[in-house]
Amino acid sequence: MADEWQHTVLLYGMGAAIDGEAQVGDLTVPVDVSISDLFDALEFGAMGAYRVANDTWSFTVDATYMGLGGTSEGPRGLVKGELDVDQVTLMGTVGRRWTESLELLFSLSYFDLSSDLRLDVTSPVSGLVSTRRASVDADWVDPLIGLQYAVPFADRWRFSLRGDVGGFGIGSDFSYQGLALFDWRANETVGVVFGYRIIGFDYEEGHGGGYKRFDLTEQGPLLGVAFSF
């Protein structure tokens, strides 16, 4: 019945790689992690989500922490950049069921970043290394709209696919996320989930020496457990 609510708590860990570009003032660090070396750059993320839903509506709160790191090198290794980011994301989502398998989503997502940038430049003549560093914090709120498709298949299995886009210049210039999950139910209460998540954003603010920009994509596999009641 439409007034029967189902509650689900999801706890999972995520190996996260990062690529893109970060800039503070005139210091820019590009970070490029290709698919081939994705797993060499994994750091850790911990996530938890609570969802309550009936046949028409759903409400979800998702909390994410990720420790991310990446490096890049210029020609002949003369320029090396490093970026380390600690990121907390809080997302609240309201869903409205459109069909039995498809939901329309509206979310507000809060991002909090603490970042350290380092750029090492080696002189090709003297071999001396000059180092520049910058640390900066940033936080903002993005509205997002999205869709979620979920369908059971085989025995005890369920697949869900979610995509969101947002920012629209309100918080970031643009942000997005994609989430693919497989859920295997051991029983009505406990399930095991595994899948893949990608989060991206392009955020900038300030001018001159106070300018900061993060144009980053974070992605990686995830594994966790779900409790339903």
Side-chain angles (χ1 to χ4, degrees):
M1 296 176 60
D3 57 354
E4 292 182 346
W5 295 87
Q6 182 178 40
H7 304 260
T8 301
V9 176
L10 175 61
L11 303 174
Y12 59 100
M14 175 179 170
I18 184 171
D19 65 283
E21 186 176 85
Q23 180 178 349
V24 177
D26 62 352
L27 175 59
T28 300
V29 174
V31 182
D32 296 302
V33 180
S34 66
I35 294 299
S36 62
D37 56 21
L38 171 65
F39 291 95
D40 293 331
L42 289 179
E43 295 198 11
F44 185 70
M47 291 86 171
Y50 169 71
R51 172 183 165 94
V52 57
N54 62 13
D55 290 341
T56 305
W57 296 96
S58 70
F59 302 90
T60 305
V61 178
D62 184 288
T64 301
Y65 166 79
M66 287 189 285
L68 303 162
T71 62
S72 65
E73 286 193 7
R76 295 182 293 167
L78 296 178
V79 179
K80 182 178 180 181
E82 295 183 3
L83 171 66
D84 289 298
V85 177
D86 288 328
Q87 176 180 325
V88 175
T89 306
L90 301 175
M91 177 181 289
T93 301
V94 178
R96 176 67 162 82
R97 195 172 300 279
W98 189 11
T99 69
E100 184 177 351
S101 301
L102 192 63
E103 282 186 86
L104 306 176
L105 307 175
F106 174 75
S107 305
L108 289 176
S109 189
Y110 169 74
F111 293 84
D112 187 295
L113 272 67
S114 178
S115 62
D116 294 302
L117 290 76
R118 173 174 170 163
L119 192 65
D120 296 328
V121 181
T122 303
S123 170
V125 177
S126 65
L128 296 177
V129 179
S130 61
T131 299
R132 298 182 61 196
R133 298 175 182 268
S135 298
V136 67
D137 298 331
D139 62 274
W140 69 91
V141 176
D142 277 345
L144 299 101
I145 55 175
L147 294 172
Q148 177 165 282
Y149 175 78
V151 61
F153 71 98
D155 184 27
R156 298 187 178 184
W157 286 90
R158 186 175 182 86
F159 172 72
S160 62
L161 183 64
R162 173 173 176 169
D164 302 86
V165 295
F168 312 118
I170 297 173
S172 66
D173 292 333
F174 181 67
S175 62
Y176 63 92
Q177 80 152 344
L179 177 64
L181 278 183
F182 290 92
D183 183 345
W184 177 78
R185 307 303 300 184
N187 51 53
E188 292 184 358
T189 303
V190 180
V192 177
V193 298
F194 61 93
Y196 201 88
R197 188 175 191 180
I198 181 170
I199 300 171
F201 47 84
D202 185 355
Y203 172 80
E204 64 179 332
E205 70 166 294
H207 303 278
Y211 178 77
K212 49 190 172 183
R213 182 188 180 200
F214 299 94
D215 183 5
L216 301 172
T217 299
E218 306 151 359
Q219 58 182 313
L222 59 90
L223 177 66
V225 60
F227 303 93
S228 300
F229 54 95

